């Protein structure tokens, strides 16, 4: 039975020891999904730990996958992977699904407070101060390589939500797929 373990997004990279410890917990195989958004060292640490665990436990299957997603986007992939496990899909099929699906994940979002963009070095202190005073809401997206990029900016929460709804209406063709808002 495959077991998925995931790690909540954080502003710091998990160490190799963290992934080694998780990898040694009893199970038949491991599929680690990690949000890395290309700037995080966590995906590299997970990959290094998985290589070490593969040599330590050659009979088990391990995969460390950078989902190129964050938060809800990653959660949707984890839910789908869990459904695939329950339906009897093989480890390789699930891994292939995630590797293929990560390029098709479309994540647009906004932030309530510009302070986190400032802390992460995405905007300057001056931009955060002026943007907050003017109630600027950046519309951000995770690109297909895991980088967070700004694609639009509006004034106010209402316009930000309308902008996101417009993007959904324009970009989503299959209304039966699971989405997160």
């Amino acid at each position: 039975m495959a077991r998925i373990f995931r790690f909540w997004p954080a502003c710091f990279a998990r160490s190799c020891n963290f992934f080694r410890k998780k990898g040694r917990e009893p199970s038949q195989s491991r599929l680690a999904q990690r949000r890395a958004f290309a700037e995080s060292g966590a995906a590299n640490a997970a990959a290094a730990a998985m290589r070490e665990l593969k040599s330590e436990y050659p009979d088990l299957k391990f995969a460390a996958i950078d989902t190129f997603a964050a938060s809800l986007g990653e959660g949707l992939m984890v839910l789908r992977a869990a459904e695939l496990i329950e339906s009897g899909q093989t480890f390789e099929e699930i891994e292939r699904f995630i590797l293929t699906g990560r390029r098709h994940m479309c994540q647009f979002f906004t932030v309530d407070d510009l302070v986190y963009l400032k802390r992460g070095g995405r905007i300057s202190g001056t931009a955060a101060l002026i943007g907050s005073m003017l109630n600027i809401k950046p519309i951000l997206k995770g690109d297909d390589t895991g980088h967070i990029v700004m694609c639009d900016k509006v004034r106010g929460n209402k316009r930000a939500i309308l902008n996101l709804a417009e993007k959904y209406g324009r970009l989503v063709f299959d209304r039966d797929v699971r989405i997160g808002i």
Side-chain angles (χ1 to χ4, degrees):
M1 159 87 89
R3 180 170 169 218
I4 297 173
F5 60 99
R6 79 183 281 279
F7 311 98
W8 289 102
C11 293
F12 60 91
R14 297 284 188 178
S15 69
C16 275
N17 285 334
F18 176 83
F19 291 102
R20 279 190 214 106
K21 180 180 173 191
K22 287 288 184 184
R24 287 188 177 103
E25 292 174 0
S27 181
Q28 294 174 352
S29 55
R30 293 280 185 257
L31 188 63
Q33 292 191 6
R34 174 62 185 151
R35 176 224 69 140
F37 267 134
E39 288 90 20
S40 171
N44 293 333
M50 291 299 144
R51 284 190 300 274
E52 183 178 315
L53 289 165
K54 279 181 183 181
S55 65
E56 192 174 327
Y57 301 101
D59 296 337
L60 296 182
K61 296 177 183 177
F62 292 90
I65 301 171
D66 181 352
T67 61
F68 297 160
S71 191
L72 191 54
E74 181 186 31
L76 291 172
M77 292 182 98
V78 169
L79 288 173
R80 183 64 182 130
E83 291 168 357
L84 293 172
I85 289 169
E86 288 179 4
S87 72
Q89 299 294 310
T90 67
F91 184 88
E92 291 77 14
E93 290 169 330
I94 296 166
E95 183 179 19
R96 191 171 33 258
F97 166 79
I98 295 169
L99 289 170
T100 303
R102 69 184 182 175
R103 297 264 183 221
H104 302 287
M105 176 75 61
C106 186
Q107 297 182 95
F108 288 91
F109 59 97
T110 190
V111 293
D112 287 330
D113 194 338
L114 298 178
V115 70
Y116 299 108
L117 297 177
K118 177 184 166 244
R119 281 186 195 165
R122 298 188 185 283
I123 61 174
S124 69
T126 305
L129 178 65
I130 293 170
S132 294
M133 289 173 31
L134 295 174
N135 199 21
I136 300 292
K137 300 294 181 191
I139 306 298
L140 306 166
K141 78 175 255 181
D143 71 11
D144 62 357
T145 62
H147 291 89
I148 298 173
V149 296
M150 184 172 70
C151 58
D152 208 351
K153 54 186 165 186
V154 295
R155 289 184 71 180
N157 282 328
K158 185 175 181 179
R159 286 191 182 134
I161 291 169
L162 289 172
N163 184 291
L164 293 172
E166 180 273 325
K167 287 182 186 332
Y168 171 80
R170 187 169 35 87
L171 297 171
V172 177
F173 299 108
D174 182 359
R175 306 293 181 183
D176 293 330
V177 297
R178 186 181 287 152
I179 67 161
I181 299 175

